[in-house]
Amino acid sequence: ILVFSLWLSLCDIKSLQLPLWGILTAGLTLLTARIIFHKWDSLYYLLSSAILTSIYFIIKFITKNKLGSGDLLFGIFQGLGFRPQYIWICLAVEAVTGLIYFLIIRDNKKKPFIPFMASGLLLSFLADCFAAF
């Protein structure tokens, strides 16, 4: 999760685009790992993925396409990283880190959103992992 999140964040910062093969590789790798190591919980991760992607789709509609297709695809990968009860952590971290960034950098150019999504993913993943103990 960390490697793919970091790499995809750097791609988004550099070119404001995600390579389709990269996001598909990330998603399929994580889905395969979930099925192998968490057989019985795999549906929870798929549910989390569906919920997050739906939320991002609604945000994309409300903001008139400010979120790109790569952000929606990253939402699928992101949701596979933790169970649905941690979605609120993910969205809160994204909102806070994004708001801080956008308040500091006040230009009208298009800005990458994947780094904020990745920070939400990582903290939610850690919360999910520590809750298991």
Side-chain angles (χ1 to χ4, degrees):
I1 290 175
L2 179 63
V3 171
F4 282 120
S5 294
L6 183 61
W7 176 62
L8 292 170
S9 293
L10 291 174
C11 287
D12 195 32
I13 290 169
K14 184 178 176 184
S15 64
L16 292 175
Q17 291 183 6
L18 295 180
L20 182 59
W21 64 269
I23 193 68
L24 289 176
T25 302
L28 290 175
T29 302
L30 187 52
L31 180 60
T32 303
R34 289 296 181 206
I35 290 171
I36 291 171
F37 296 110
H38 299 276
K39 264 182 240 189
W40 307 113
D41 289 343
S42 295
L43 290 178
Y44 291 119
Y45 296 106
L46 289 171
L47 176 64
S48 181
S49 182
I51 291 170
L52 266 177
T53 306
S54 299
I55 290 170
Y56 294 138
F57 185 77
I58 291 168
I59 292 171
K60 181 178 178 158
F61 179 75
I62 290 172
T63 61
K64 296 181 174 94
N65 294 326
K66 295 285 184 187
L67 288 181
S69 300
D71 298 326
L72 293 175
L73 291 173
F74 190 83
I76 295 169
F77 167 70
Q78 187 181 33
L80 293 171
F82 49 86
R83 292 184 192 102
Q85 59 261 37
Y86 299 100
I87 289 176
W88 69 272
I89 294 174
C90 179
L91 294 173
V93 169
E94 289 174 13
V96 169
T97 56
L99 185 62
I100 290 170
Y101 177 82
F102 293 132
L103 288 175
I104 293 172
I105 309 294
R106 293 181 181 207
D107 60 357
N108 289 332
K109 292 188 289 184
K110 188 171 178 179
K111 297 169 186 71
F113 191 60
I114 298 294
F116 309 117
M117 294 172 76
S119 65
L121 167 59
L122 294 175
L123 287 176
S124 300
F125 173 73
L126 290 173
D128 192 9
C129 289
F130 286 120
F133 292 113

